Amino acid sequence: MKLLSISCVAVVVLALQGKTPLLTTDAFSFPPVDGLRSRAKTDLIEQVTSGSSNEKILNAVKNVERYSIFTNNGGATLKNPLLPGNWLMVWTTSDSIAGKSRPKLFRTQTPPEQFLDIENGRAVNAENILGVRNSVEAMLTPQTKNQVKVDFVEFAVGPIKYKPEPNTFKGELSVTYLDEEMRISRGDKGNAFILLKESTQRKEANRIWKEWRKSNSW
């Protein structure tokens, strides 16, 4: 038992240094780490809602990502059953995706959504503006255990749809943190995204999105 305790402490230290071996809570349980992880997530959300700079928020993002292997069902992988479903984006480094660069009238008042259907390799990004649902559909191709190639195949503004030539608009997206409530992803253009699960976090996501916009005056 003493040897096991020492081993557990060693794994935790290595994880926080970004040198963690490939272990997950499917094999081990670290109750103290759960508390640290929870505090890291709380700090991240507080950084977002208080209007902190992207640099400070990204530091908080990295802090949460360090705990990825201690989450359930294998952590940040495409095979994690927590990944499929509808997610609500509450923060991103991308001004264009957030809608900051648009006239105020055309900025979404609620968090943009991302529906993931990993089994069928499909994703739909959507937002509602002035009662009109705008969406982008994409096909997903696994690249690594936590990264997909993204090929955008259909754009829609209300009932008006446009389908570009294949491989015209493409990119990559990685899952770097995943649990029952939160997902962190990073794109190939250097952007980062924080999303909350709609099924259980809709009210909280609405609050964070509203406070982020208010704290940054956009």
Side-chain angles (χ1 to χ4, degrees), residues 185-202:
S185 285
R186 292 179 180 265
D188 59 321
K189 306 300 182 185
N191 287 312
F193 309 87
I194 302 172
L195 306 97
L196 300 187
K197 195 82 168 184
E198 183 190 30
S199 59
T200 59
Q201 301 297 309
R202 164 61 81 171

Side-chain angles (χ1 to χ4, degrees), residues 54-94:
N54 278 355
E55 182 180 2
K56 288 184 177 180
I57 296 174
L58 283 171
N59 284 335
V61 164
K62 291 177 183 177
N63 193 30
V64 173
E65 289 172 333
R66 290 190 180 100
Y67 295 97
S68 182
I69 66 155
F70 297 107
T71 59
N72 292 326
N73 301 304
T77 71
L78 302 180
K79 293 183 179 180
N80 192 322
L82 297 174
L83 185 57
N86 210 37
W87 294 85
L88 306 174
M89 188 187 76
V90 297
W91 175 85
T92 178
T93 51
S94 172

Side-chain angles (χ1 to χ4, degrees), residues 2-199:
K2 185 175 181 180
L3 179 61
L4 178 60
S5 298
I6 294 173
S7 299
C8 291
V9 171
V11 171
V12 172
V13 171
L14 287 171
L16 298 182
Q17 293 177 340
K19 304 175 182 178
T20 313
L22 297 178
L23 299 175
T24 72
T25 48
D26 291 335
F28 293 92
S29 178
F30 301 98
V33 176
D34 290 339
L36 293 172
R37 179 165 60 93
S38 178
R39 284 196 289 275
K41 289 169 58 180
T42 298
D43 176 64
L44 173 57
I45 296 305
E46 288 178 352
Q47 295 288 343
V48 171
T49 57
S50 64
S52 294
S53 66
N54 278 355
E55 182 180 2
K56 288 184 177 180
I57 296 174
L58 283 171
N59 284 335
V61 164
K62 291 177 183 177
N63 193 30
V64 173
E65 289 172 333
R66 290 190 180 100
Y67 295 97
S68 182
I69 66 155
F70 297 107
T71 59
N72 292 326
N73 301 304
T77 71
L78 302 180
K79 293 183 179 180
N80 192 322
L82 297 174
L83 185 57
N86 210 37
W87 294 85
L88 306 174
M89 188 187 76
V90 297
W91 175 85
T92 178
T93 51
S94 172
D95 288 352
S96 60
I97 293 176
K100 287 185 179 182
S101 55
R102 304 176 199 163
K104 217 163 193 177
L105 186 64
F106 297 103
R107 298 173 189 170
T108 178
Q109 302 298 306
T110 54
E113 303 178 12
Q114 184 176 71
F115 175 77
L116 295 179
D117 180 358
I118 302 301
E119 184 177 357
N120 295 301
R122 176 175 173 267
V124 179
N125 297 337
E127 61 181 17
N128 291 288
I129 300 176
L130 299 176
V132 177
R133 180 179 172 83
N134 305 322
S135 64
V136 180
E137 183 171 346
M139 301 308 295
L140 308 177
T141 304
Q143 300 283 82
T144 67
K145 68 177 183 179
N146 73 323
Q147 183 184 78
V148 293
K149 174 186 174 184
V150 183
D151 185 13
F152 298 99
V153 296
E154 182 178 278
F155 297 80
V157 178
I160 303 173
K161 297 182 179 181
Y162 164 68
K163 293 186 178 182
E165 292 294 321
N167 296 313
T168 302
F169 301 101
K170 56 186 179 181
E172 294 176 348
L173 188 69
S174 299
V175 181
T176 57
Y177 179 85
L178 178 64
D179 67 18
E180 293 84 355
E181 302 171 339
M182 178 183 287
R183 183 181 115 224
I184 296 174
S185 285
R186 292 179 180 265
D188 59 321
K189 306 300 182 185
N191 287 312
F193 309 87
I194 302 172
L195 306 97
L196 300 187
K197 195 82 168 184
E198 183 190 30
S199 59

